Amino acid sequence: MAYSFPEEVLEHVFSFIHTDKDRNAISLVCKSWYEVERWSRRRIFIGNCYAVSPGIVIRRFPELRSVALKGKPHFADFNLVPDGWGGNVYPWIAAMAMAYPMLEELRLKRMVVTDESLELISRSFKNFKVLVLSSCEGFSTDGLAAIAANCSGRFSEESRISSFDLLSFATFFLSNQTKRYNRFELKPACEVDIGSPISLIPDFAHHWCPSTFPAWPPRCPSLRTLRLNRAVPLDRLPNLLRRAPQLVELGTGAYSAEHRPEVFSSLAGAFSNCKELKSLSGFWDVVPDYLPAVYPACSGITSLNLSYATIQSPDLIKLVTQCQNLQRLWVLDYIEDSGLDALAASCKDLQELRVFPSEPYDMEGNVALTEQGLVSVSEGCPKLHSVLYFCRQMTNAALVSIAKNRPNMTRFRLCIIEPRTRDYQTLEPLDVGFGAIVEHCKELHRLSLSGLLTDRVFEYIGTHAKKLEMLSVAFAGDGDLGLHHVLSGCKSLRKLEIRDCPFGDKALLANAAKLETMRSLWMSSCSVSFGACKLLGQKMPRLNVEVMDERGRPDSRPESCSVEKLYIYRSVAGPRSDMPRFVWTMKTPS
Amino acid sequence: MSPQLPKPSPESSSAGLYFNDTELTLGLPGATKSGTKRGFSDTVGLNLRGPCNTDHASNPSENDVSGDSKPPPAKTQIVGWPPVKASRKNVAKISKYVKVAVDGAPYLRKVDLEMYGSYQQLLGSLEDMFSCFPIRNYLNERKLMDPVKGSDYMPTYEDRDGDWMLVGDVPWKMFVESCKRLRLMKSIEAIGLAPRESQKCTSTSGSKSL
């Protein structure tokens, strides 16, 4: 006898299930569960905007309130994807404007967002609350002004921001904006966060006119996040902090000024008043004399982004060792091994460390930062599980130590700046070191490789990295066997990005079915032939096989010629229709 | 794997995707591979192939520790490597601070020209700084006015040759390079410098000029 709950009961039960994975799972149980689930889904994440079409999403999920979309492949961050590739959000906005008038949240990453799209958003969604544009491009302050104007005053009650305050800010911004500037291009990698509670848009700060609006920001008891533009000078910071002492996240503007005691004490006083401060960033053009002003707030700080702070190790050490509760640190390699030793000794709660190169194009190296710094932190910080580390030398022994110290590692991205660098002590490849990482760190879900690597490392990865979801490879491997190990062994693999490796047709064609279980595969400057791409495209209808070649049509060259760039992704929407002139899809016309 | 890859051909494709090719083995590497690198030399500026050309990476037991992996000192920059986002590339920022004087103001200010991308942005910032001194934004075509005996100020600058020039004639980047100091001059004094109206339309903010 088949029992079934009434739909209302199922719906109520499903309301406790939030993660995409779980929701996807329950929708597979049976048809009635599928139906109840799809009507009750409110939030969706689409990792590749071309994997599905707006129409398909809307047909399946008629009541969405929150949509997240990602566009370009990750390597677009490093200029490997030419302009005009795609990822325009407009078709999505146009479709959702009709289908989801109650849409509240939109989160976009690596997409092209025009002012037209922003204006459409601002007109179409009466309940719109959250807009996050991360690494997007194509918009100007005109578009953001439309958002500010039309979406103001509608934030939810619990934010406790009176509509008067917000309206006056938005109006101020608009009227001054149109009076003085025709168009102002925001920097491409700008992050904009308009939500409830309010965050502030970095570049708008640039255009404040103190004489007409001296009371900015309005008294916003709910202002939680404030990130200033680099152009906002340091002497304005104390005043801003005094108006928003409940700030949780602060991004300073330029942290430099001539040393004046009254500015210093004003700043220190303002910081000591900010009892809720948990996150600090900004710190452009830092003058070390002013850093101690931050010390009163340090004991509460859990996230510190000093990746633009060009200060030397001693000053960094003084600051970082004040932050006993630090969980996340982003810093330049000026911190050096000595600074990382101090970090390891003081910050026992550290979970994430990112060390960026101060001089990425200088092959000689300008700082005393070596593999030893990372080993120290891995020893001293038991909760460390996420690492991004740029350095110039490495040894297998160091990697083995790190692996044994931190079996809880989940994200490990190592970039040895010089491609194909050997273990500098033994002169061997770094296969064994990375092998230890994947063997000991059983929960590893993201890995980036560098240094000299043979097919052996891929064998280790294929054998051990069973939870690996994203792998980035550059200048590594000997041949197809390496790629075959990864594609056949890494059960959880979703994203694979490869550049400048001698991987050719065989592994790709032999593992074609695997590609349908992944979100995407990127291969550039490898040895995949045009013929193989065509074959793959023909045989795998649910894969979009896109060849990118700025040298011209791939069929104007022999089929055995390697393609420049290859982007393969699974899709239920078929080949896309917005490809630029340098992208070809390998689909036979049906 | 043998040194030669079988070329994909219509005949082999009809045999299906799943090659039974014994060349792809799952045995330990190093047994039969020659491991020649392919497809690199024209994409990467580094030349790792030394005269002996034994692939040092393929078999650890035959690992030759010759120095042929040391790249030559001068090399071409590889696109997208190291993988740093554009916003992180120029961390140690070049700044160009120049003095700004306004006729009638009791003290001078300084601005960092590298902070701006166009004349519009610079003038906007100067307006903020000297908010009681309305700066004539003659670059904005819609505001075209006759030079009047009002209280407006014209933005001028001293260039490397020591000459006082009207702001806005040259492309933005050229201006940043050549500007030594700025002076907001009372319009009355600047009448002689103002461009003729017919030429006005071709003057554009530097970074956007073609």
Side-chain angles (χ1 to χ4, degrees), chain A residues 65-357:
Chain A
R65 299 279 180 273
S66 165
V67 175
L69 277 167
K70 287 189 177 180
K72 299 189 199 176
H74 175 235
F75 275 176
D77 285 355
F78 315 125
N79 296 334
L80 287 178
V81 176
D83 282 344
W85 175 85
N88 195 329
V89 79
Y90 191 83
W92 286 88
I93 308 295
M96 292 192 295
M98 311 284 280
Y100 302 133
M102 303 312 285
L103 190 74
E104 295 172 8
E105 302 181 354
L106 194 56
R107 292 182 168 83
L108 305 175
K109 186 165 184 179
R110 281 191 212 100
M111 296 201 76
V112 174
V113 183
T114 55
D115 284 343
E116 210 187 1
S117 295
L118 290 176
E119 279 151 23
L120 186 55
I121 291 171
S122 72
R123 289 197 308 269
S124 312
F125 308 116
K126 302 299 165 210
N127 250 12
F128 201 63
K129 294 193 172 81
V130 175
L131 175 66
V132 179
L133 303 175
S134 182
S135 304
C136 294
E137 51 163 350
F139 58 93
S140 75
T141 45
D142 290 350
L144 293 177
I147 299 280
N150 296 335
C151 302
S152 70
R154 287 192 200 96
F155 294 95
S156 60
E157 245 337 289
E158 67 255 22
S159 70
R160 289 176 287 122
I161 295 174
S162 76
S163 41
F164 172 78
D165 273 347
L166 202 52
L167 208 51
S168 64
F169 165 68
T171 310
F172 153 75
F173 170 77
L174 257 191
S175 62
N176 279 280
Q177 177 70 6
T178 50
K179 249 195 328 205
R180 263 188 266 152
Y181 309 105
N182 294 329
R183 201 175 162 79
F184 176 58
E185 297 293 337
L186 286 179
K187 298 183 272 291
C190 174
E191 284 205 34
V192 178
D193 193 355
I194 309 177
S196 164
I198 297 290
S199 307
L200 258 156
I201 303 150
D203 272 289
F204 291 172
H206 182 73
H207 303 302
W208 299 338
C209 182
S211 64
T212 62
F213 207 65
W216 199 92
R219 287 206 171 274
C220 273
S222 303
L223 189 68
R224 292 277 176 272
T225 304
L226 174 60
R227 290 197 187 96
L228 301 175
N229 184 277
R230 186 174 185 168
V232 177
L234 186 59
D235 52 11
R236 298 205 51 195
L237 190 54
N239 214 22
L240 291 172
L241 290 179
R242 264 189 280 278
R243 295 187 162 275
Q246 76 288 348
L247 270 183
V248 174
E249 299 182 339
L250 172 69
T252 73
Y255 206 80
S256 65
E258 299 226 339
H259 187 85
R260 297 202 306 275
E262 70 278 8
V263 175
F264 180 90
S265 53
S266 178
L267 193 57
F271 270 114
S272 50
N273 224 15
C274 292
K275 309 260 186 254
E276 313 283 333
L277 211 50
K278 291 223 175 322
S279 163
L280 279 176
S281 57
F283 293 106
W284 283 288
D285 313 314
V286 176
V287 163
D289 292 340
Y290 274 103
L291 275 178
V294 174
Y295 293 172
C298 281
S299 58
I301 295 293
T302 57
S303 168
L304 191 53
N305 182 352
L306 296 169
S307 60
Y308 295 101
T310 51
I311 43 171
Q312 303 304 315
S313 184
D315 296 306
L316 282 167
I317 291 176
K318 278 193 227 138
L319 177 58
V320 158
T321 47
Q322 302 265 337
C323 304
Q324 311 276 341
N325 289 315
L326 200 60
Q327 293 172 15
R328 175 158 79 165
L329 176 65
W330 291 20
V331 71
L332 286 170
D333 55 10
Y334 290 134
I335 194 167
E336 299 190 336
D337 287 345
S338 54
L340 292 175
D341 288 340
L343 179 70
S346 320
C347 303
K348 295 303 183 185
D349 268 353
L350 193 71
Q351 297 176 23
E352 176 179 330
L353 174 67
R354 296 196 191 190
V355 178
F356 295 97

Side-chain angles (χ1 to χ4, degrees), chain A residues 208 307 422 454 499-500 506, chain B residues 23 40 56-57 79 88 128:
Chain A
W208 299 338
S307 60
R422 295 169 179 265
T454 73
R499 62 163 296 176
D500 295 276
K506 302 171 72 162
Chain B
E23 289 174 349
F40 271 163
H56 42 257
V79 174
R88 297 197 177 282
D128 283 355

Side-chain angles (χ1 to χ4, degrees), chain A residues 77-80 135 180-185 189 206-211 230-231 256 285 305 307-308 310 330 332 334 356-358 360-361 363 390 415-420 422 426-429 450 452 454-456 459 474-475 477-481 484-485 499-502 505-507 509-510 512-513 525 527 529 531-532 535 539-540 560, chain B residues 1 5-8 13-14 16-19 21 23-29 33 35-40 43-44 46 48 55-60 63-66 68-69 71 75 77-93 97 109 112 115-116 118 120-125 127-129 131 137 140 142-143 208:
Chain A
D77 285 355
F78 315 125
N79 296 334
L80 287 178
S135 304
R180 263 188 266 152
Y181 309 105
N182 294 329
R183 201 175 162 79
F184 176 58
E185 297 293 337
H206 182 73
H207 303 302
W208 299 338
C209 182
S211 64
R230 186 174 185 168
S256 65
D285 313 314
N305 182 352
S307 60
Y308 295 101
T310 51
W330 291 20
L332 286 170
Y334 290 134
F356 295 97
S358 51
Y361 305 111
M363 288 303 165
F390 283 81
C415 180
I416 306 166
I417 290 180
E418 176 76 33
R420 301 195 202 89
R422 295 169 179 265
T426 65
L427 298 183
E428 299 206 333
S450 58
L452 183 67
T454 73
D455 280 348
R456 216 169 133 199
E459 193 191 347
F475 307 104
D478 305 313
D480 280 80
L481 192 54
H484 177 73
H485 282 309
R499 62 163 296 176
D500 295 276
C501 297
D505 301 339
K506 302 171 72 162
L509 294 173
S525 305
S527 309
S529 72
L535 188 58
K539 297 289 181 179
M540 307 294 294
S560 56
Chain B
M1 289 199 300
L5 263 191
K7 294 187 172 46
S13 69
S14 63
L17 277 179
Y18 300 95
F19 288 66
D21 203 328
E23 289 174 349
L24 251 192
T25 67
L26 295 183
L28 286 174
K33 295 187 314 96
T36 42
K37 291 178 164 42
R38 290 176 293 276
F40 271 163
T43 56
V44 174
L46 305 168
L48 293 185
D55 195 76
H56 42 257
S58 62
N59 191 333
N63 198 19
D64 76 80
V65 292
S66 68
D68 69 336
S69 68
K75 51 184 90 79
Q77 202 170 305
I78 306 165
V79 174
W81 191 267
V84 287
K85 287 188 181 173
S87 56
R88 297 197 177 282
K89 279 187 185 164
N90 302 312
V91 175
K93 198 182 192 247
Y97 279 95
R109 298 293 302 265
D112 177 4
M115 198 81 83
Y116 308 101
S118 68
Q120 297 278 42
Q121 294 173 30
L122 170 64
L123 291 175
S125 201
E127 274 195 62
D128 283 355
M129 235 185 241
S131 45
N137 186 354
N140 185 338
R142 285 183 252 134
K143 279 193 172 177
K208 301 199 174 64

Side-chain angles (χ1 to χ4, degrees), chain A residues 468-479:
Chain A
L468 191 65
E469 296 179 13
M470 181 169 179
L471 178 64
S472 308
V473 185
F475 307 104
D478 305 313

